[in-house]
Amino acid sequence: QVQLVESGGGLVQAGGSLRLSCAASGTIFSIYVMGWYRQAPGKQRELVATMHSGGNTNYADSVKGRFTISRDNAKNTVYLQMNSLKPEDTAVFYCYARPGVLTTSSSYWGQGTQVTVSS
């Protein structure tokens, strides 16, 4: 079982920056994929960015060049540096972790942290 605890959300003006953190704990040795999804009001949850333990990253087109994902594998922690924030980035951001290599293996979610970008 894996527990994910997020921090770093808040209210920021357009053009500003925020850094999200997510720490994983539980009976795990390593986590293959960690990342972030978000869900805006009335919309489906969507991928923001993921990072494999080996360093491969994947970003949504809407955040490329503005957001940067990073990991500390030793601490099972993932970060999301968000720059040049836009009002359309307003959403609840969820941390995601999948310890296994197979896409069918168990995955885990954090409780979510609110990011609000004012215009």
Side-chain angles (χ1 to χ4, degrees):
Q1 193 72 12
V2 177
Q3 295 81 42
L4 302 174
V5 178
E6 302 131 333
S7 60
L11 173 64
V12 65
Q13 288 188 332
S17 299
L18 283 175
R19 186 180 190 234
L20 304 182
S21 300
C22 173
S25 61
T27 54
I28 51 172
F29 177 70
S30 64
I31 301 176
Y32 184 61
V33 180
M34 295 190 78
W36 297 91
Y37 286 68
R38 66 185 179 186
Q39 187 167 17
K43 295 187 177 181
Q44 290 188 330
R45 190 173 297 189
E46 63 176 6
L47 178 144
V48 176
T50 58
M51 189 171 190
H52 290 186
S53 55
N56 289 342
T57 59
N58 183 36
Y59 290 94
D61 288 342
S62 60
V63 307
K64 286 180 180 177
R66 300 188 298 122
F67 292 8
T68 302
I69 190 170
S70 60
R71 287 179 60 166
D72 184 333
N73 290 333
K75 296 181 179 180
N76 282 327
T77 300
V78 64
Y79 307 95
L80 186 68
Q81 177 66 43
M82 303 185 292
N83 299 328
S84 302
L85 282 160
K86 305 175 181 180
E88 51 264 43
D89 292 317
T90 295
V92 177
F93 281 68
Y94 295 91
C95 180
Y96 167 84
R98 193 185 82 223
V101 174
L102 298 178
T103 57
T104 53
S105 58
S106 298
S107 58
Y108 301 88
W109 296 92
Q111 79 284 358
T113 185
Q114 178 70 46
V115 172
T116 303
V117 184
S118 62
S119 57

